[in-house]
Amino acid sequence: MTSSASEGLVLRDGPALPPLSHFKLAAFDMDSTLISIECIDEIAALAGKGQEVAAITEAAMRGEITDFRDSLRRRLAILAGVPATVLDRVLAERLNFNPGARELCTALKAAGLKLVLVSGGFTFFTRFVAAELGMDFVRSNELEIADGALTGRVVMQDWGDICDGEQKRLMLLQSCESIGCRPDQAMAVGDGANDLPMMGAAGLSVAYHAKPKVREQARIAINEGGLDRLLELIRP
């Protein structure tokens, strides 16, 4: 690896980076990438089940639990019976955008890129984040709610039930196809192991304050500072 002149911004050796004008699409993970929290951990914390759920989340993001679908089902099962009003509290009290998220998305949209939000998190939160950042395509999990409480399950959608790493990869490829661009004209930004499939399919992979396994495999790693530091390396 070679480090750029700026501290905490790493560019892995390889071909020269293309200009921003080369790219047509940017796909983003949500939890711990665009926003500072893992929503499922915050739901669990407010419901008094935080440690149980956070331990599974951490193991999954580090890649120690390799089946994301299984890890999500295990975490959701712990949340069965939690009042749905907890979701409103997480949104109002806990959800904050990471530094540079708005600035980067604004700059990419101004350059003509389409933006994709693809998350192993939940539609309750992705709807808000997508509206705030001007996302063009969104895919995430729909929590099942019955009698005002979480059931511990997700709802089947037209693409499937759980947005795991493979679904993230497929969403990136499908979004490219829908706007008529090649995967090498896409960039993918994430922080966890389940982001690696879409990062591998994109022309440019960007790790943001990521787990070691993800930092090591990404072309660009932003280890200090905000998301908009990507613009220090990708010029117009």
Side-chain angles (χ1 to χ4, degrees):
M1 273 198 181
T2 57
S3 179
S4 75
S6 302
E7 198 64 36
L9 186 62
V10 178
L11 173 63
R12 182 184 288 275
D13 286 330
L17 290 176
L20 184 55
S21 58
H22 167 82
F23 296 98
K24 307 298 180 191
L25 182 139
F28 291 90
D29 169 54
M30 181 178 74
D31 293 35
S32 298
T33 300
L34 288 171
I35 63 176
S36 61
I37 61 171
E38 292 286 332
C39 291
I40 194 166
D41 291 354
E42 300 299 332
I43 295 168
L46 289 176
K49 301 171 185 283
Q51 287 185 320
E52 237 180 311
V53 168
I56 301 173
T57 299
E58 268 300 302
M61 297 304 282
R62 287 194 303 264
E64 292 166 12
I65 299 176
T66 55
D67 186 344
F68 176 82
R69 300 170 69 85
D70 176 57
S71 78
L72 183 62
R73 288 193 180 103
R74 284 163 59 185
R75 286 175 285 170
L76 286 173
I78 295 168
L79 299 178
V82 170
T85 52
V86 168
L87 303 179
D88 297 292
R89 285 189 60 198
V90 171
L91 184 59
E93 301 170 18
R94 304 285 181 96
L95 191 150
N96 293 299
F97 287 93
N98 271 327
R102 292 181 186 275
E103 291 82 354
L104 176 59
C105 289
T106 297
L108 296 180
K109 286 188 77 72
L113 279 74
K114 296 294 185 183
L115 303 185
V116 181
L117 177 56
V118 58
S119 172
F122 308 115
T123 56
F124 185 89
F125 304 105
T126 57
R127 275 194 291 268
F128 171 80
V129 170
E132 288 288 306
L133 298 180
M135 295 288 166
D136 299 286
F137 305 100
V138 185
R139 180 170 294 180
S140 60
N141 305 308
E142 179 82 43
L143 287 168
E144 184 179 69
I145 297 171
D147 301 321
L150 305 185
T151 66
R153 296 184 296 271
V154 290
V155 176
M156 180 64 73
Q157 300 182 65
D158 56 4
W159 49 264
D161 60 344
I162 292 178
C163 186
D164 59 2
E166 175 60 11
Q167 277 296 334
K168 289 188 174 195
R169 186 184 73 85
L170 288 174
M171 181 61 172
L172 180 135
L173 295 175
Q174 289 164 5
S175 300
C176 286
E177 189 176 352
S178 72
I179 68 166
C181 80
R182 303 183 309 272
D184 74 272
Q185 294 174 297
M187 59 178 75
V189 186
D191 75 294
N194 66 324
D195 297 316
L196 287 172
M198 75 167 178
M199 291 168 71
L204 178 65
S205 55
V206 182
Y208 179 72
H209 291 233
K211 300 296 183 281
K213 183 177 177 182
V214 182
R215 285 202 307 267
E216 290 160 11
Q217 295 185 44
R219 183 76 202 279
I220 293 173
I222 302 170
N223 300 325
E224 296 176 22
L227 277 160
D228 54 341
R229 295 202 69 191
L230 178 60
L231 300 170
E232 295 176 30
L233 294 177
I234 307 295
R235 304 293 182 181

